[in-house]
Amino acid sequence: MKKIVAFLLMSLLAGQAFAGAGHGKQESVVGMPGHADEVTRTINVTLNDLMRFTPDNINVKKGETVRLVITNKGQLKHELVIGETQALLKHAKMMRSMPDMQHTSPNTASLEPGKQGAIIWTFDKAGSVDFACLIPGHWEAGMKGAFSVN
Ligand SMILES: [Cu+2]
């Protein structure tokens, strides 16, 4: 029971970090969930069992809201999580201790084999924003990429 409560609390905190701009450094660096009516571009990303995202380097403009259409072309479950590297690594560690954990955050698309999902994201600061697959072993095998925000 204690474990569940701790996990729920962590989820809430994680959700809050992506809730909007102006509450700290982290979310303005990685951007924030965007609104469908602000989408200017759709970008297709595929995930595969070679532990790669295609493309794995995506150029976006500062202030741009994009719809990422994410397709799992593998036989394994994969996901795409947008975040700051250290936060992603911390999250990956947590995933290892809770392998059945489900993601529902707006910065995440968790996809069963053959499935497609979408993330709408606004990039509000120039720089590099990371994304990764946090399923145990995948990030370590190189399943990561980055947005270049210019
Ligand atoms: Cu993966």
Side-chain angles (χ1 to χ4, degrees), residues 114-134:
K115 296 292 183 197
Q116 190 171 78
I119 295 176
I120 297 174
W121 201 255
T122 301
F123 296 89
D124 58 355
K125 198 158 188 172
S128 185
V129 176
D130 298 317
F131 59 92
C133 177
L134 300 184

Side-chain angles (χ1 to χ4, degrees), residues 29-65:
V29 171
V30 301
M32 63 191 124
H35 298 287
D37 54 6
E38 289 168 2
V39 169
T40 52
R41 199 150 58 100
T42 295
I43 299 167
N44 293 297
V45 182
T46 61
L47 290 61
N48 66 42
D49 293 345
L50 299 174
M51 307 301 167
R52 291 295 179 272
F53 292 103
T54 309
D56 61 3
N57 212 306
I58 300 170
N59 290 306
V60 295
K61 291 194 188 75
K62 186 182 161 192
E64 189 175 19
T65 297

Side-chain angles (χ1 to χ4, degrees), residues 47-48 51 77-79 133-135 138 143:
L47 290 61
N48 66 42
M51 307 301 167
K77 189 176 174 178
H78 291 290
E79 61 186 19
C133 177
L134 300 184
I135 290 174
H138 292 206
M143 200 160 186

